[in-house]
Amino acid sequence: PDTLAALRLAEALAPRKTTLVVQGESGTGKSLLARRVHALGAPHRALASIGMDDPEGVRSELSAAEHAGTLLIRGLHQAPRESQDALADWLARIHDAPEPRDAPRIIATTLRPVAECVERGQLRSDLAHRLDVVSVHLPPLRRRPCDLSALVRHFAGATGAFAESELRCPPESLARLAEHPFKGNVRELENRVRRLAALRPETPVDAGLLLDPDPGSSVRRDDSRRSLKELEREAIERSLARHGNNRTRASRELGISVRTLRNKLQRYEA
């Protein structure tokens, strides 16, 4: 219910340019929700994303974001004073200018409520008042068992590795997933889906395999005689084939960097 209410509120705000704060634990899907709002509200304009933990890059990144459709401010709870000052100056210049301009929508993410950040002395109160217009709280995944099926299917579709009929989510498998603590929240679930996608068989896959510590051993019973390097190489080759040798997409699916993927491929060719 909490997640559904958050989604409904976010979708209702999408056509407007109301400033939004998304609060929740790490990995709960704050950036995912922000991108959903952007896609609904300003799909033809860019989304600029700025991490507030790096004061040196904030000012230049803010300047580049002036013509974006949405400005996503990540990590408001840990923003150094220098980053806060830069953001406050930028907001005053863009939003308080004598001549109105088509300024981007502001969406900020934070692990802690804005009011708590102010009480702890971690956030300027004037900046908090400017940003905290509408707040959305995303509960941790362990409190959202009803979201598991939809999230699993969403991430499965995002990998491009599963057709709708190839990933099964029977009640018993969803019950197993609901008992898992998911300390990494939605991000952990996404990574588990990507790992399973990289090792998936040619037959339908049960979502219960997401909790298998070694899904490759459950996927192919004859893999017990093969080395880890062989399994890794096969997973990489299958991923590249699925994505037309696009290394960026394959590395994202495999959960490794493009550089790591390139190094592995060079070793295979040696």
Side-chain angles (χ1 to χ4, degrees):
D2 290 343
T3 305
L4 184 59
L7 286 172
R8 286 175 175 170
L9 177 58
E11 290 178 356
L13 292 173
R16 307 175 179 87
K17 299 187 71 172
T18 307
T19 300
L20 179 66
V21 172
V22 186
Q23 184 261 322
E25 291 181 9
S26 178
T28 49
K30 298 184 292 296
S31 293
L32 194 66
L33 180 63
R35 294 178 188 280
R36 173 66 175 167
V37 173
H38 169 75
L40 291 173
H44 304 299
R45 299 178 62 187
L47 182 147
S49 181
I50 295 177
M52 292 294 286
D53 57 341
D54 177 19
E56 294 184 2
V58 166
R59 289 190 183 275
S60 60
E61 290 177 355
L62 284 171
S63 298
E66 291 185 11
H67 301 291
T70 301
L71 172 60
L72 173 58
I73 302 169
R74 309 186 319 273
L76 189 63
H77 63 283
Q78 61 182 3
R81 183 62 183 235
E82 296 90 338
S83 295
Q84 295 183 44
D85 293 344
L87 178 59
D89 293 344
W90 184 85
L91 289 170
R93 181 168 58 85
I94 297 298
H95 287 266
D96 299 340
E99 297 182 5
R101 60 176 70 186
D102 191 16
R105 173 209 300 276
I106 307 298
I107 302 179
T109 66
T110 174
L111 294 187
R112 289 184 287 274
V114 170
E116 182 180 332
C117 293
V118 174
E119 290 176 2
R120 292 186 175 195
Q122 298 172 329
L123 184 64
R124 286 175 44 168
S125 59
D126 61 325
L127 189 56
H129 293 318
R130 184 184 287 272
L131 293 175
D132 199 14
V133 178
V134 177
S135 295
V136 173
H137 174 255
L138 283 181
L141 186 56
R142 61 183 174 275
R143 286 175 43 199
R144 300 152 53 185
C146 58
D147 291 347
L148 284 168
S149 178
L151 286 170
V152 167
R153 294 187 183 281
H154 168 76
F155 292 132
T159 66
F162 295 105
E164 185 174 351
S165 61
E166 292 180 326
L167 183 64
R168 297 172 177 173
C169 298
E172 57 270 22
S173 295
L174 292 176
R176 282 189 62 203
L177 291 175
E179 293 175 356
H180 186 74
F182 281 108
K183 295 181 180 179
N185 286 297
V186 175
R187 188 178 296 122
E188 177 187 342
L189 178 63
E190 179 182 11
N191 288 338
R192 286 178 177 272
V193 172
R194 291 188 181 280
R195 180 180 64 173
L196 183 59
L199 297 171
R200 79 179 184 93
E202 300 305 320
T203 54
V205 180
D206 190 300
L209 285 176
L210 292 170
L211 298 181
D212 195 317
D214 183 11
S217 63
S218 299
V219 167
R220 296 192 174 184
R221 298 301 177 185
D222 61 348
D223 282 348
S224 59
R225 298 180 180 180
R226 303 165 67 198
S227 70
L228 181 60
K229 289 184 178 180
E230 289 175 323
L231 293 173
E232 177 190 74
R233 179 171 182 172
E234 182 178 332
I236 288 175
E237 290 174 346
R238 288 206 305 269
S239 182
L240 284 168
R242 281 195 295 272
H243 295 289
N245 286 321
N246 186 307
R247 295 186 180 184
T248 300
R249 293 178 180 175
S251 63
R252 187 180 301 119
E253 177 183 284
L254 294 165
I256 60 178
S257 68
V258 175
R259 180 178 181 180
T260 298
L261 177 58
R262 184 179 65 248
N263 291 339
K264 289 180 180 294
L265 291 173
Q266 288 175 348
R267 286 199 296 270
Y268 298 153
E269 295 172 356

